[in-house]
Amino acid sequence: MISYEQQLDRIWPAMVEGSVTATDGVSARVACLPVPIGAEVELQRVGLPALSAQVIGFHDGLTHVFPFEEPRGVRIGDRVRLVRTQPTFRVGPQLLGRVLDAKGRSLDGRPAPTALSVACLEAAPPRALQRRSIREPLATGVRVIDGLLTCGAGQRSAIVAGPGLGKSVLLGMLARRSEADVNVVALIGERGREVQEFLDRDLRDGLQRSVVIVATGDESAAMRLRAAMAATTVAEYFREQGLRVQLLFDSLTRVAMAQREIGLSLGELPASRGYPPSVYSLLPRLLERTGASDQGSITAFYSVLVDELGRDDPIGEAARGLLDAHYVLCPRLAQRGLYPAIDVLDSVSRLMPQVADPDHAADAAAVRNALAAKREAEDLIMVGAYRAGSRADVDAALRCEHQLDSFRRQSPDESSSPEVTRKQLRELARSLADERLESRGLPTNP
């Protein structure tokens, strides 16, 4: 039986038709189709099901459309019909616990969710003066973040990582341990096997309060880009219900790659690493939709893939400039088995001074100073040229090295409440202070 929602999808807004005149790679050029950019259309293939596509631009009087699927069977003269002028996605509380594709179709083998509302996929971000100030922390359950790089409710952060450094495991920890009311997980451009592994190994029981939107790497660039918009739209819906939403986005780089593919097919000129200007206009439009509002908040974590942890990756640099925080996963820490491999010194949470109390901020600063002192003397320590007593802060860091590593190391199954994290941070800061005093020959604090 056809559902009510499916019947609505079959209602044409107007009989606007054009015809295919040429193809450019996977995109097609259509004549006599006066529809706006972003509109959804269908290509009527002979002997095959209709092919859904999106309008991406115009050139020489022709409309360029980018199919959501492989354009096999498309021929010159095929009819193209308007489906809707504005892309939409169906949202509602029934999405919780579900795994969907970029069009809202079920991927988990269960019946399609029903009785959903319709939301625009490309909604405008909240206006600057309508955003609520971020003053409250959001406990993530990840000790190194809650203790040293505290996240605020509504903060937007980048997880900058190379391959194999545990970003998926970290995202799974955030989904299971965070104090957020709802998780929205976007898996964009992932390998097919990694999706099931993430659900079974990393997300696990966190699925019950999550909505997962999937567009694997073999799907078209239009589907990958739509998945990014869909996940953000779902997160916005739950924010409007007054909830604290956590958006876990893996990965922002693959969204940029999808837009690059679409932009180049339209004839845009490539710039840095082949990314055309449309990529750099897309990122702020997408990222600004998250954050805090008068109703609720979206705390977003966007993973950014980099080949090396240098500063020459254009998407990484753009994300650092647009977001409120960045957490850098370090290969050196991963090689030592110190997971999550967050390099505290290369990472920053710009909102931590606003959401952490003064005592917490002071303890975190003491630990960061100890890590910085140890890094400064690292070369001397490696060659055996450092002499104990030369610097009290380095001596303290070396004597408390095991405690520093223990605080930052956390297994995926280990839970750390804000109270426990705060207590351990306080004890670590006191140990460092005592060791500094002892190194100077002064009495330690009682």
Side-chain angles (χ1 to χ4, degrees):
M1 179 179 293
I2 299 176
S3 68
Y4 177 69
E5 288 84 356
Q6 290 172 323
Q7 293 181 46
L8 285 178
D9 283 340
R10 294 187 176 187
I11 298 176
W12 300 103
M15 189 58 70
V16 179
E17 288 192 349
S19 60
V20 174
T21 61
T23 59
D24 294 308
V26 294
S27 65
R29 285 181 282 178
V30 183
C32 304
L33 190 66
V35 298
I37 292 177
E40 293 185 20
V41 298
E42 278 191 352
L43 283 72
Q44 306 294 320
R45 297 178 293 183
V46 177
L48 292 171
L51 179 65
S52 181
Q54 185 174 21
V55 175
I56 61 172
F58 313 98
H59 187 67
D60 291 338
L62 299 176
T63 301
H64 286 244
V65 301
F66 203 100
F68 288 111
E69 299 174 11
E70 183 69 24
R72 288 191 297 267
V74 173
R75 303 186 299 182
I76 292 179
D78 282 347
R79 306 304 298 171
V80 181
R81 302 206 303 179
L82 173 66
V83 177
R84 57 178 61 86
T85 57
Q86 191 174 52
T88 60
F89 195 84
R90 298 192 181 278
V91 296
Q94 299 88 338
L95 297 183
L96 286 173
R98 303 303 305 271
V99 182
L100 309 169
D101 72 359
K103 288 197 166 187
R105 296 172 297 199
S106 173
L107 296 178
D108 52 17
R110 297 162 57 187
T114 58
L116 300 174
S117 304
V118 176
C120 176
L121 266 183
E122 299 181 357
R127 294 182 179 179
L129 298 183
Q130 293 177 340
R131 292 182 181 272
R132 176 169 46 86
S133 297
I134 298 175
R135 291 289 183 267
E136 298 178 357
L138 179 74
T140 64
V142 179
R143 190 163 48 240
V144 67
I145 294 179
D146 293 342
L148 303 176
L149 299 159
T150 309
C151 177
Q155 179 171 303
R156 300 161 302 165
S157 309
I159 299 176
V160 183
L165 296 183
K167 62 177 176 57
S168 295
V169 176
L170 176 57
L171 291 174
M173 293 173 67
L174 292 170
R176 296 196 310 276
R177 307 299 182 195
S178 170
E179 289 185 342
D181 301 313
V182 174
N183 295 313
V184 179
V185 183
L187 301 178
I188 301 171
E190 294 289 316
R191 303 176 186 88
R193 66 166 181 81
E194 290 178 332
V195 174
Q196 190 64 52
E197 286 181 1
F198 178 83
L199 296 175
D200 295 339
R201 181 194 63 193
D202 301 321
L203 189 57
R204 289 179 285 180
D205 54 336
L207 179 61
Q208 300 307 313
R209 62 186 182 113
S210 302
V211 181
V212 182
I213 308 294
V214 177
T216 53
D218 61 311
E219 296 187 59
S220 74
M223 282 291 278
R224 283 175 271 145
L225 187 57
R226 184 185 174 95
M229 300 296 182
T232 305
T233 301
V234 173
E236 288 172 329
Y237 165 78
F238 286 109
R239 178 177 62 185
E240 291 171 2
Q241 311 309 307
L243 301 177
R244 294 180 300 173
V245 184
Q246 182 173 240
L247 175 61
L248 304 174
F249 212 96
D250 191 12
S251 70
L252 188 65
T253 302
R254 292 187 177 120
V255 174
M257 290 178 176
Q259 180 60 41
R260 177 174 64 183
E261 187 176 337
I262 293 174
L264 294 178
S265 72
L266 192 58
E268 284 190 79
L269 295 177
S272 177
R273 292 205 179 181
Y275 289 105
S278 62
V279 172
Y280 300 103
S281 64
L282 166 71
L283 292 179
R285 291 202 317 271
L286 179 65
L287 302 182
E288 282 295 312
R289 291 172 62 180
T290 58
S293 71
D294 290 337
Q295 291 78 30
S297 64
I298 301 175
T299 305
F301 293 89
Y302 299 91
S303 74
V304 180
L305 303 175
V306 293
D307 295 333
E308 299 178 359
L309 295 183
R311 304 278 178 168
D312 59 345
D313 181 82
I315 303 305
E317 284 301 287
R320 290 173 192 264
L322 292 168
L323 299 174
D324 306 312
H326 56 265
Y327 304 113
V328 179
L329 302 190
C330 175
R332 178 169 44 85
L333 297 178
Q335 290 166 3
R336 291 176 51 198
L338 204 160
Y339 290 98
I342 297 176
D343 190 323
V344 174
L345 298 180
D346 284 346
S347 304
V348 64
S349 173
R350 296 183 180 90
L351 294 177
M352 182 174 178
Q354 299 175 205
V355 300
D357 63 71
D359 290 340
H360 180 179
D363 292 339
V367 173
R368 291 178 67 96
N369 289 339
L371 293 171
K374 182 174 178 292
R375 177 174 292 184
E376 289 174 6
E378 200 166 38
D379 291 339
L380 294 176
I381 296 170
M382 291 293 292
V383 299
Y386 178 77
R387 296 181 60 184
S390 301
R391 288 180 54 179
D393 52 358
V394 176
D395 292 341
L398 291 175
R399 291 172 183 172
C400 294
E401 184 173 15
H402 176 71
Q403 290 174 267
L404 288 168
D405 287 351
S406 296
F407 182 82
R408 292 180 293 164
R409 180 181 285 113
Q410 183 177 351
S411 70
D413 295 321
E414 181 183 355
S415 178
S416 184
S417 67
E419 295 76 20
V420 171
T421 295
R422 185 68 186 86
K423 179 181 178 182
Q424 292 177 343
L425 180 63
R426 171 80 277 200
E427 293 172 351
L428 177 56
R430 285 179 176 175
S431 296
L432 288 167
D434 290 343
E435 291 296 343
R436 283 195 299 271
L437 292 173
E438 185 174 337
S439 178
R440 294 169 180 166
L442 299 175
T444 59
N445 295 317

